[in-house]
Amino acid sequence: MSTCDRDDGVSRRKVLECMTWVGTGVLWTISGGVPHALGIIDEAVAQQAQPLTFVQISDSHVGFDKAANPNALGTLQEAIAKVGALPKKPAFMIHTGDISHLSLPSQFDDADRIIGQSRLDVHYVPGEHDFLDPDLKFYRERYGRGTMGAGWYSFDANGVHFIGLVNVVNLKAGGLGNLGNDQLEWLENDVKGRSASTPIVVFAHIPLWTVYPDWGWGTDDGAQALSYLKRFGSVTVLNGHIHQVMQKVEGNLTFHTARSTAFPQPAPGTAPSPGPMKVPDDKLRGMLGIANVTFKQNEQRLAIIDTPLQG
Amino acid sequence: MMRSAMAAAMLGAVVGTGLAGGIVLARAQGPAGAISIDNFTFTPQTLRVKAGTTVTWTNKDDIPHGIASANNAFARSKALDTDDNYSFTFTTPGTYQYFCYVHPHMTGTIVVEAATGSNATQ
């Protein structure tokens, strides 16, 4: 079941560790990779007493009502209930895009109403489904305040530098996800001058690494973006889009994709297309869920726990 | 239930009158060509038509798609939800590359030939 075993784009890069396709949630840690750099991080953050915990949700596709899940709003509600039931209240939430299914105002309204029940600050990046209105304006009007371009930005929390990127606009024929030169230039400047000991978290909708190009699961200029981050001791890349958990560690870069709250998609190459996957009703909630991320700074590691809605 | 029964009946009527009859509903005049979007694939991959043909894309997937010319040679569609369609009449001969602007790895080609030219192809 592991894509690491597959002869596809993943193998183009050196994979140091790969654990993929998790069935029921897993505790995932970064403890190897760059021990020296991690040591530096530990010194840098030793004075920060409080660990940082935040939660990621993704691909809520509010408005989706097809066979794979006739009630995507209902499962979003369940996901937000999961967030509310976490033993430690997260500092904030990130949403890695495809908030809506068709970029309709009513879909954004419904999403905001449900997600707002978490009473958390939410940092969004858009998915391609959030830019389907003719004027490409609804996402930016609602979520783009204070952001650059189509909605990219950065912020700091507990000594961690967070970077939200947009790789779903100006897509090119035959291509994958796209960041574009303006955003790449902004990113290079955004991290310039920051200490290499600063932990970096990048979040974007489409995976920044090539998961499965035949299905468009990758970002054409993602490697360029990651090249600006290679000098940092700890870089965590959080994505959505593929509606399943997939994880990879490559040197100091760690990649993770979150489940959708709406519907599952097939593992790469296991179906004729990446379209919504209909599973038996009693299996659906085991394939939807949230991700809870903690920087356990004094323990020199970062942990991501994927929790399905059920099971 | 009622709606799906009606949709099935309408689909049956369209099929019953043949493809050309269905397209005539979209355009009163001129030849027609059809491209289906199914499993994230345009079928046929290459469509050859005469100039003046109205080409209609129909989305059969559970996911929205959108039609855009690779070099802005024709107007892009709005997002096409399931069973939505988009039509464009190609009046100028040439080769038109297009893609899905939601899933850009999906690509297709339309070859438009002069209406009065060789009829080696249809």
Side-chain angles (χ1 to χ4, degrees):
Chain A
M1 294 296 276
S2 165
T3 54
C4 302
D5 301 330
R6 302 185 61 83
D7 184 22
D8 60 33
V10 172
S11 62
R12 288 194 300 132
R13 297 203 188 123
K14 185 170 64 175
V15 178
L16 298 182
E17 181 187 344
C18 191
M19 302 158 40
T20 62
W21 198 242
V22 180
T24 57
V26 65
L27 175 65
W28 178 65
T29 62
I30 304 165
S31 54
V34 190
H36 178 67
L38 287 171
I40 293 171
I41 290 168
D42 191 49
E43 290 167 27
V45 300
Q47 56 212 22
Q48 309 245 359
Q50 293 298 316
L52 173 66
T53 296
F54 64 97
V55 68
Q56 177 191 7
I57 65 170
S58 197
D59 295 271
S60 41
H61 283 266
V62 168
F64 182 84
D65 60 358
K66 303 299 191 296
N69 181 1
N71 186 9
L73 191 63
T75 49
L76 173 61
Q77 177 91 62
E78 293 174 36
I80 295 303
K82 279 274 181 197
V83 172
L86 288 170
K88 181 181 189 307
K89 188 184 180 198
F92 54 83
M93 187 180 337
I94 65 171
H95 191 306
T96 43
D98 285 356
I99 306 158
S100 73
H101 192 57
L102 289 166
S103 304
L104 301 179
S106 60
Q107 295 174 350
F108 286 126
D109 285 347
D110 285 343
D112 291 348
R113 178 169 51 82
I114 301 300
I115 293 171
Q117 292 170 5
S118 71
R119 296 171 182 267
L120 295 172
D121 287 338
V122 187
H123 302 279
Y124 290 91
V125 287
E128 70 278 3
H129 287 256
D130 301 316
F131 275 110
L132 295 181
D133 53 311
D135 298 327
L136 309 180
K137 67 178 186 183
F138 292 151
Y139 176 84
R140 274 178 285 194
E141 284 176 357
R142 286 171 183 256
Y143 310 102
R145 230 168 255 139
T147 67
M148 307 285 294
W152 62 81
Y153 58 99
S154 66
F155 64 95
D156 294 281
N158 287 44
V160 179
H161 188 59
F162 289 80
I163 303 169
L165 298 179
V166 180
N167 55 2
V168 298
V169 297
N170 296 324
L171 303 180
K172 307 290 189 295
L176 307 174
N178 177 58
L179 294 161
N181 288 337
D182 288 353
Q183 187 168 201
L184 287 170
E185 193 177 320
W186 171 85
L187 174 63
E188 187 175 18
N189 286 325
D190 182 72
V191 298
K192 194 175 284 178
R194 286 182 195 279
S195 163
S197 65
T198 307
I200 304 285
V201 173
V202 180
F203 57 109
H205 179 64
I206 299 176
L208 288 176
W209 88 101
T210 304
V211 174
Y212 195 63
D214 287 359
W215 284 358
W217 289 359
T219 301
D220 280 327
D221 46 9
Q224 179 73 27
L226 297 172
S227 73
Y228 302 140
L229 306 173
K230 283 221 162 23
R231 69 182 177 86
F232 291 90
S234 169
V235 180
T236 304
V237 180
L238 303 176
N239 299 122
H241 186 61
I242 67 173
H243 296 217
Q244 59 196 285
V245 173
M246 207 168 277
Q247 305 175 118
K248 184 170 82 128
V249 177
E250 186 179 304
N252 57 343
L253 295 172
T254 61
F255 300 91
H256 181 271
T257 61
R259 289 187 177 93
S260 165
T261 68
F263 56 84
Q265 286 178 252
T270 62
S273 80
M277 182 166 66
K278 170 67 181 159
V279 298
D281 290 349
D282 63 343
K283 295 280 192 290
L284 175 63
R285 283 164 176 77
M287 305 185 79
L288 310 177
I290 65 172
N292 191 31
V293 186
T294 301
F295 283 94
K296 296 177 177 175
Q297 294 164 331
N298 295 331
E299 298 178 23
Q300 301 186 15
R301 67 182 193 182
L302 171 157
I304 301 177
I305 302 174
D306 291 292
T307 308
L309 296 186
Q310 190 177 76
Chain B
M1 295 277 284
M2 192 64 181
R3 183 185 292 179
S4 64
M6 282 178 60
M10 289 171 63
L11 182 63
V14 170
V15 171
T17 57
L19 187 60
I23 299 300
V24 167
L25 293 174
R27 293 280 166 168
Q29 296 288 332
I35 297 171
S36 74
I37 309 170
D38 208 346
N39 274 324
F40 289 63
T41 303
F42 296 110
T43 304
Q45 270 286 293
T46 299
L47 178 68
R48 308 183 78 90
V49 297
K50 296 293 188 189
T53 298
T54 297
V55 174
T56 299
W57 289 262
T58 303
N59 180 16
K60 308 306 289 182
D61 275 341
D62 279 354
I63 283 289
H65 296 292
I67 309 301
S69 163
N71 58 350
N72 294 315
F74 61 89
R76 67 191 250 150
S77 75
K78 69 175 180 62
L80 305 177
D81 199 3
T82 306
D83 293 330
D84 284 353
N85 58 55
Y86 172 64
S87 295
F88 185 84
T89 302
F90 290 86
T91 56
T92 307
T95 298
Y96 296 83
Q97 310 283 354
Y98 67 89
F99 68 110
C100 169
Y101 62 75
V102 189
H103 312 98
H105 66 286
M106 298 168 54
T107 59
T109 304
I110 295 167
V111 179
V112 180
E113 297 164 338
T116 56
S118 161
N119 50 14
T121 58
Q122 56 181 19

